[in-house]
mmCIF file of all heavy atoms in Angstrom:
data_model
loop_
_atom_site.group_PDB
_atom_site.id
_atom_site.type_symbol
_atom_site.label_atom_id
_atom_site.label_comp_id
_atom_site.label_asym_id
_atom_site.label_seq_id
_atom_site.Cartn_x
_atom_site.Cartn_y
_atom_site.Cartn_z
ATOM 1 N N GLN Z 1031 10.868 4.509 -6.632
ATOM 2 C CA GLN Z 1031 11.720 3.334 -6.923
ATOM 3 C C GLN Z 1031 11.826 2.605 -5.578
ATOM 4 O O GLN Z 1031 11.982 3.255 -4.531
ATOM 5 C CB GLN Z 1031 13.037 3.819 -7.341
ATOM 6 C CG GLN Z 1031 13.929 2.688 -7.745
ATOM 7 C CD GLN Z 1031 15.219 3.118 -8.398
ATOM 8 O OE1 GLN Z 1031 15.961 3.765 -7.741
ATOM 9 N NE2 GLN Z 1031 15.451 2.881 -9.675
ATOM 10 N N CYS Z 1032 11.717 1.315 -5.565
ATOM 11 C CA CYS Z 1032 11.851 0.488 -4.435
ATOM 12 C C CYS Z 1032 13.105 -0.381 -4.543
ATOM 13 O O CYS Z 1032 13.578 -0.546 -5.646
ATOM 14 C CB CYS Z 1032 10.622 -0.337 -4.165
ATOM 15 S SG CYS Z 1032 9.118 0.579 -4.006
ATOM 16 N N VAL Z 1033 13.444 -1.075 -3.437
ATOM 17 C CA VAL Z 1033 14.496 -2.192 -3.646
ATOM 18 C C VAL Z 1033 13.669 -3.407 -3.144
ATOM 19 O O VAL Z 1033 12.855 -3.339 -2.247
ATOM 20 C CB VAL Z 1033 15.552 -1.917 -2.665
ATOM 21 C CG1 VAL Z 1033 15.230 -1.794 -1.201
ATOM 22 C CG2 VAL Z 1033 16.704 -2.968 -2.967
ATOM 23 N N ASP Z 1034 13.792 -4.498 -3.837
ATOM 24 C CA ASP Z 1034 13.068 -5.826 -3.628
ATOM 25 C C ASP Z 1034 13.893 -6.562 -2.664
ATOM 26 O O ASP Z 1034 15.092 -6.584 -2.538
ATOM 27 C CB ASP Z 1034 12.757 -6.492 -4.851
ATOM 28 C CG ASP Z 1034 11.308 -7.225 -4.721
ATOM 29 O OD1 ASP Z 1034 10.865 -7.262 -3.537
ATOM 30 O OD2 ASP Z 1034 10.810 -7.723 -5.687
ATOM 31 N N THR Z 1035 13.144 -7.531 -1.980
ATOM 32 C CA THR Z 1035 13.774 -8.440 -1.076
ATOM 33 C C THR Z 1035 13.924 -9.846 -1.780
ATOM 34 O O THR Z 1035 13.413 -9.967 -2.798
ATOM 35 C CB THR Z 1035 12.892 -8.621 0.255
ATOM 36 O OG1 THR Z 1035 11.646 -9.205 -0.198
ATOM 37 C CG2 THR Z 1035 12.695 -7.299 0.892
ATOM 38 N N LEU Z 1036 14.604 -10.684 -1.071
ATOM 39 C CA LEU Z 1036 14.874 -12.043 -1.728
ATOM 40 C C LEU Z 1036 13.477 -12.791 -1.796
ATOM 41 O O LEU Z 1036 13.234 -13.548 -2.690
ATOM 42 C CB LEU Z 1036 15.669 -12.888 -0.815
ATOM 43 C CG LEU Z 1036 17.128 -12.491 -0.730
ATOM 44 C CD1 LEU Z 1036 17.980 -13.314 0.235
ATOM 45 C CD2 LEU Z 1036 17.785 -12.468 -2.125
ATOM 46 N N GLN Z 1037 12.502 -12.459 -0.880
ATOM 47 C CA GLN Z 1037 11.243 -13.066 -0.885
ATOM 48 C C GLN Z 1037 10.240 -12.421 -1.858
ATOM 49 O O GLN Z 1037 9.150 -12.821 -2.172
ATOM 50 C CB GLN Z 1037 10.561 -13.015 0.482
ATOM 51 C CG GLN Z 1037 11.388 -13.789 1.486
ATOM 52 C CD GLN Z 1037 11.622 -15.223 1.126
ATOM 53 O OE1 GLN Z 1037 10.525 -15.924 0.669
ATOM 54 N NE2 GLN Z 1037 12.751 -15.763 1.245
ATOM 55 N N GLY Z 1038 10.635 -11.257 -2.501
ATOM 56 C CA GLY Z 1038 9.874 -10.563 -3.579
ATOM 57 C C GLY Z 1038 8.640 -9.765 -2.973
ATOM 58 O O GLY Z 1038 7.517 -9.757 -3.590
ATOM 59 N N ALA Z 1039 8.853 -9.105 -1.881
ATOM 60 C CA ALA Z 1039 7.663 -8.341 -1.269
ATOM 61 C C ALA Z 1039 7.181 -7.338 -2.190
ATOM 62 O O ALA Z 1039 5.902 -7.061 -2.348
ATOM 63 C CB ALA Z 1039 8.247 -7.636 0.010
ATOM 64 N N VAL Z 1040 8.055 -6.525 -2.827
ATOM 65 C CA VAL Z 1040 7.530 -5.451 -3.823
ATOM 66 C C VAL Z 1040 6.946 -6.100 -5.095
ATOM 67 O O VAL Z 1040 5.884 -5.678 -5.430
ATOM 68 C CB VAL Z 1040 8.744 -4.478 -4.205
ATOM 69 C CG1 VAL Z 1040 8.368 -3.554 -5.228
ATOM 70 C CG2 VAL Z 1040 9.280 -3.820 -2.964
ATOM 71 N N SER Z 1041 7.647 -7.047 -5.554
ATOM 72 C CA SER Z 1041 7.109 -7.737 -6.817
ATOM 73 C C SER Z 1041 5.737 -8.377 -6.565
ATOM 74 O O SER Z 1041 4.822 -8.266 -7.417
ATOM 75 C CB SER Z 1041 8.034 -8.839 -7.318
ATOM 76 O OG SER Z 1041 9.259 -8.175 -7.686
ATOM 77 N N ALA Z 1042 5.606 -8.967 -5.441
ATOM 78 C CA ALA Z 1042 4.264 -9.530 -5.015
ATOM 79 C C ALA Z 1042 3.175 -8.549 -5.064
ATOM 80 O O ALA Z 1042 2.056 -8.792 -5.530
ATOM 81 C CB ALA Z 1042 4.246 -10.302 -3.805
ATOM 82 N N MET Z 1043 3.430 -7.334 -4.497
ATOM 83 C CA MET Z 1043 2.385 -6.341 -4.426
ATOM 84 C C MET Z 1043 2.137 -5.745 -5.871
ATOM 85 O O MET Z 1043 0.961 -5.594 -6.147
ATOM 86 C CB MET Z 1043 2.874 -5.097 -3.596
ATOM 87 C CG MET Z 1043 1.892 -3.953 -3.318
ATOM 88 S SD MET Z 1043 1.925 -2.676 -4.504
ATOM 89 C CE MET Z 1043 3.562 -1.878 -4.311
ATOM 90 N N ILE Z 1044 3.131 -5.602 -6.757
ATOM 91 C CA ILE Z 1044 2.941 -5.138 -8.028
ATOM 92 C C ILE Z 1044 2.041 -6.145 -8.794
ATOM 93 O O ILE Z 1044 1.069 -5.702 -9.445
ATOM 94 C CB ILE Z 1044 4.271 -5.059 -8.703
ATOM 95 C CG1 ILE Z 1044 4.998 -3.903 -8.135
ATOM 96 C CG2 ILE Z 1044 4.040 -4.817 -10.212
ATOM 97 C CD1 ILE Z 1044 6.591 -3.815 -8.458
ATOM 98 N N VAL Z 1045 2.448 -7.339 -8.775
ATOM 99 C CA VAL Z 1045 1.659 -8.500 -9.492
ATOM 100 C C VAL Z 1045 0.175 -8.469 -9.011
ATOM 101 O O VAL Z 1045 -0.744 -8.496 -9.758
ATOM 102 C CB VAL Z 1045 2.340 -9.818 -9.307
ATOM 103 C CG1 VAL Z 1045 1.381 -10.983 -9.793
ATOM 104 C CG2 VAL Z 1045 3.641 -9.913 -10.071
ATOM 105 N N LYS Z 1046 -0.039 -8.462 -7.703
ATOM 106 C CA LYS Z 1046 -1.338 -8.437 -7.146
ATOM 107 C C LYS Z 1046 -2.149 -7.298 -7.562
ATOM 108 O O LYS Z 1046 -3.291 -7.442 -8.078
ATOM 109 C CB LYS Z 1046 -1.350 -8.559 -5.634
ATOM 110 C CG LYS Z 1046 -2.671 -8.651 -4.968
ATOM 111 C CD LYS Z 1046 -2.547 -8.813 -3.413
ATOM 112 C CE LYS Z 1046 -4.065 -8.973 -2.930
ATOM 113 N NZ LYS Z 1046 -4.262 -10.093 -2.269
ATOM 114 N N CYS Z 1047 -1.650 -6.096 -7.535
ATOM 115 C CA CYS Z 1047 -2.409 -4.862 -7.935
ATOM 116 C C CYS Z 1047 -2.667 -4.934 -9.441
ATOM 117 O O CYS Z 1047 -3.820 -4.572 -9.802
ATOM 118 C CB CYS Z 1047 -1.601 -3.636 -7.613
ATOM 119 S SG CYS Z 1047 -1.471 -3.223 -5.847
ATOM 120 N N VAL Z 1048 -1.749 -5.335 -10.224
ATOM 121 C CA VAL Z 1048 -1.949 -5.298 -11.613
ATOM 122 C C VAL Z 1048 -2.962 -6.484 -12.047
ATOM 123 O O VAL Z 1048 -3.897 -6.221 -12.861
ATOM 124 C CB VAL Z 1048 -0.558 -5.545 -12.472
ATOM 125 C CG1 VAL Z 1048 -0.878 -5.708 -13.900
ATOM 126 C CG2 VAL Z 1048 0.247 -4.229 -12.175
ATOM 127 N N GLN Z 1049 -2.640 -7.672 -11.588
ATOM 128 C CA GLN Z 1049 -3.618 -8.785 -11.992
ATOM 129 C C GLN Z 1049 -5.070 -8.556 -11.434
ATOM 130 O O GLN Z 1049 -5.989 -8.926 -12.133
ATOM 131 C CB GLN Z 1049 -3.047 -10.039 -11.458
ATOM 132 C CG GLN Z 1049 -1.837 -10.614 -12.287
ATOM 133 C CD GLN Z 1049 -1.330 -11.926 -11.892
ATOM 134 O OE1 GLN Z 1049 -1.679 -12.406 -10.818
ATOM 135 N NE2 GLN Z 1049 -0.507 -12.450 -12.625
ATOM 136 N N GLU Z 1050 -5.193 -8.082 -10.323
ATOM 137 C CA GLU Z 1050 -6.445 -8.019 -9.679
ATOM 138 C C GLU Z 1050 -7.150 -6.602 -9.839
ATOM 139 O O GLU Z 1050 -8.236 -6.296 -9.237
ATOM 140 C CB GLU Z 1050 -6.447 -8.328 -8.113
ATOM 141 C CG GLU Z 1050 -6.038 -9.684 -7.831
ATOM 142 C CD GLU Z 1050 -5.807 -10.073 -6.392
ATOM 143 O OE1 GLU Z 1050 -6.411 -9.300 -5.573
ATOM 144 O OE2 GLU Z 1050 -5.331 -11.129 -6.125
ATOM 145 N N ARG Z 1051 -6.495 -5.697 -10.557
ATOM 146 C CA ARG Z 1051 -6.981 -4.371 -10.814
ATOM 147 C C ARG Z 1051 -7.312 -3.636 -9.555
ATOM 148 O O ARG Z 1051 -8.370 -3.033 -9.359
ATOM 149 C CB ARG Z 1051 -8.231 -4.484 -11.734
ATOM 150 C CG ARG Z 1051 -7.910 -5.013 -13.151
ATOM 151 C CD ARG Z 1051 -9.075 -5.151 -13.881
ATOM 152 N NE ARG Z 1051 -9.809 -3.856 -14.097
ATOM 153 C CZ ARG Z 1051 -10.589 -3.691 -15.125
ATOM 154 N NH1 ARG Z 1051 -10.697 -4.528 -16.034
ATOM 155 N NH2 ARG Z 1051 -11.206 -2.472 -15.276
ATOM 156 N N LYS Z 1052 -6.220 -3.740 -8.497
ATOM 157 C CA LYS Z 1052 -6.494 -3.153 -7.279
ATOM 158 C C LYS Z 1052 -6.013 -1.880 -7.117
ATOM 159 O O LYS Z 1052 -4.911 -1.479 -7.595
ATOM 160 C CB LYS Z 1052 -5.712 -4.155 -6.288
ATOM 161 C CG LYS Z 1052 -5.900 -3.861 -4.852
ATOM 162 C CD LYS Z 1052 -5.158 -4.890 -3.949
ATOM 163 C CE LYS Z 1052 -5.383 -4.470 -2.540
ATOM 164 N NZ LYS Z 1052 -4.817 -5.423 -1.603
ATOM 165 N N TYR Z 1053 -6.814 -0.938 -6.576
ATOM 166 C CA TYR Z 1053 -6.472 0.440 -6.387
ATOM 167 C C TYR Z 1053 -6.117 0.605 -4.819
ATOM 168 O O TYR Z 1053 -6.841 0.031 -4.026
ATOM 169 C CB TYR Z 1053 -7.679 1.334 -6.535
ATOM 170 C CG TYR Z 1053 -8.244 1.343 -8.043
ATOM 171 C CD1 TYR Z 1053 -9.051 0.325 -8.429
ATOM 172 C CD2 TYR Z 1053 -7.677 2.322 -8.951
ATOM 173 C CE1 TYR Z 1053 -9.493 0.440 -9.818
ATOM 174 C CE2 TYR Z 1053 -8.151 2.507 -10.215
ATOM 175 C CZ TYR Z 1053 -9.025 1.448 -10.688
ATOM 176 O OH TYR Z 1053 -9.422 1.459 -11.942
ATOM 177 N N ILE Z 1054 -5.032 1.269 -4.591
ATOM 178 C CA ILE Z 1054 -4.567 1.497 -3.193
ATOM 179 C C ILE Z 1054 -4.351 2.938 -2.922
ATOM 180 O O ILE Z 1054 -4.116 3.732 -3.811
ATOM 181 C CB ILE Z 1054 -3.251 0.546 -2.869
ATOM 182 C CG1 ILE Z 1054 -2.118 0.922 -3.699
ATOM 183 C CG2 ILE Z 1054 -3.562 -0.901 -3.064
ATOM 184 C CD1 ILE Z 1054 -0.842 0.231 -3.223
ATOM 185 N N ASP Z 1055 -4.366 3.206 -1.652
ATOM 186 C CA ASP Z 1055 -4.035 4.641 -1.178
ATOM 187 C C ASP Z 1055 -2.632 4.565 -0.703
ATOM 188 O O ASP Z 1055 -2.105 3.636 -0.123
ATOM 189 C CB ASP Z 1055 -4.971 4.965 -0.030
ATOM 190 C CG ASP Z 1055 -6.375 5.165 -0.349
ATOM 191 O OD1 ASP Z 1055 -6.632 5.258 -1.595
ATOM 192 O OD2 ASP Z 1055 -7.306 4.971 0.484
ATOM 193 N N ILE Z 1056 -1.983 5.693 -1.014
ATOM 194 C CA ILE Z 1056 -0.469 5.797 -0.700
ATOM 195 C C ILE Z 1056 -0.326 7.156 0.039
ATOM 196 O O ILE Z 1056 -0.837 8.116 -0.329
ATOM 197 C CB ILE Z 1056 0.408 5.783 -2.025
ATOM 198 C CG1 ILE Z 1056 0.197 4.453 -2.678
ATOM 199 C CG2 ILE Z 1056 1.811 6.109 -1.724
ATOM 200 C CD1 ILE Z 1056 0.796 4.390 -4.081
ATOM 201 N N THR Z 1057 0.443 7.129 1.127
ATOM 202 C CA THR Z 1057 0.763 8.359 1.901
ATOM 203 C C THR Z 1057 2.307 8.645 1.680
ATOM 204 O O THR Z 1057 3.175 7.807 1.879
ATOM 205 C CB THR Z 1057 0.589 8.154 3.328
ATOM 206 O OG1 THR Z 1057 -0.843 7.851 3.468
ATOM 207 C CG2 THR Z 1057 0.776 9.337 4.182
ATOM 208 N N LEU Z 1058 2.580 9.933 1.294
ATOM 209 C CA LEU Z 1058 4.006 10.353 1.115
ATOM 210 C C LEU Z 1058 4.244 11.392 2.261
ATOM 211 O O LEU Z 1058 3.338 12.346 2.445
ATOM 212 C CB LEU Z 1058 4.138 11.036 -0.119
ATOM 213 C CG LEU Z 1058 3.605 10.318 -1.428
ATOM 214 C CD1 LEU Z 1058 3.598 11.290 -2.617
ATOM 215 C CD2 LEU Z 1058 4.400 9.125 -1.672
ATOM 216 N N LYS Z 1059 5.347 11.328 2.983
ATOM 217 C CA LYS Z 1059 5.517 12.338 3.989
ATOM 218 C C LYS Z 1059 7.011 12.480 4.303
ATOM 219 O O LYS Z 1059 7.767 11.599 4.202
ATOM 220 C CB LYS Z 1059 4.760 12.028 5.234
ATOM 221 C CG LYS Z 1059 5.097 10.649 5.911
ATOM 222 C CD LYS Z 1059 4.254 10.452 7.184
ATOM 223 C CE LYS Z 1059 4.613 9.154 7.825
ATOM 224 N NZ LYS Z 1059 3.847 9.038 9.109
ATOM 225 N N ALA Z 1060 7.368 13.680 4.683
ATOM 226 C CA ALA Z 1060 8.762 13.965 5.148
ATOM 227 C C ALA Z 1060 8.848 13.518 6.560
ATOM 228 O O ALA Z 1060 7.867 13.718 7.374
ATOM 229 C CB ALA Z 1060 8.978 15.465 5.046
ATOM 230 N N THR Z 1061 10.015 13.024 6.977
ATOM 231 C CA THR Z 1061 10.276 12.623 8.420
ATOM 232 C C THR Z 1061 11.532 13.202 8.862
ATOM 233 O O THR Z 1061 12.481 12.409 9.100
ATOM 234 C CB THR Z 1061 10.330 11.114 8.512
ATOM 235 O OG1 THR Z 1061 11.321 10.576 7.539
ATOM 236 C CG2 THR Z 1061 8.940 10.423 8.086
ATOM 237 N N PRO Z 1062 11.566 14.561 9.115
ATOM 238 C CA PRO Z 1062 12.855 15.110 9.544
ATOM 239 C C PRO Z 1062 13.323 14.634 10.845
ATOM 240 O O PRO Z 1062 12.613 14.548 11.868
ATOM 241 C CB PRO Z 1062 12.522 16.672 9.482
ATOM 242 C CG PRO Z 1062 10.977 16.774 9.279
ATOM 243 C CD PRO Z 1062 10.496 15.413 9.041
ATOM 244 N N GLU Z 1063 14.619 14.288 11.006
ATOM 245 C CA GLU Z 1063 15.204 13.902 12.170
ATOM 246 C C GLU Z 1063 15.187 14.899 13.170
ATOM 247 O O GLU Z 1063 14.882 14.619 14.416
ATOM 248 C CB GLU Z 1063 16.695 13.452 11.886
ATOM 249 C CG GLU Z 1063 17.457 13.124 13.202
ATOM 250 C CD GLU Z 1063 18.910 12.885 12.838
ATOM 251 O OE1 GLU Z 1063 19.386 13.024 11.545
ATOM 252 O OE2 GLU Z 1063 19.662 12.551 13.740
ATOM 253 N N SER Z 1064 15.294 16.147 12.924
ATOM 254 C CA SER Z 1064 15.325 17.242 13.882
ATOM 255 C C SER Z 1064 13.866 17.431 14.464
ATOM 256 O O SER Z 1064 13.800 17.965 15.597
ATOM 257 C CB SER Z 1064 15.666 18.516 13.257
ATOM 258 O OG SER Z 1064 17.109 18.549 12.836
#
C-alpha cells in the first residue's frame, strides 16, 4: 500500500506499467534504526 502525492507519482507508475506491460524489479528490506 502506498500513499499518492498531489502530482500522482504512484498513479503514474501504475498506469505506465499496466498500459505498457512493463515488468519491474522490486527490493524489499528491513532498515532497523539500531
Side-chain angles (χ1 to χ4, degrees):
Q1031 189 175 65
C1032 300
V1033 62
D1034 212 351
T1035 64
L1036 292 176
Q1037 300 301 317
V1040 175
S1041 295
M1043 185 269 298
I1044 295 165
V1045 168
K1046 182 173 180 124
C1047 288
V1048 171
Q1049 286 182 346
E1050 297 179 11
R1051 298 172 60 152
K1052 186 175 181 178
Y1053 296 85
I1054 62 174
D1055 295 337
I1056 299 173
T1057 302
L1058 315 169
K1059 62 183 181 178
T1061 56
E1063 177 184 0
S1064 294

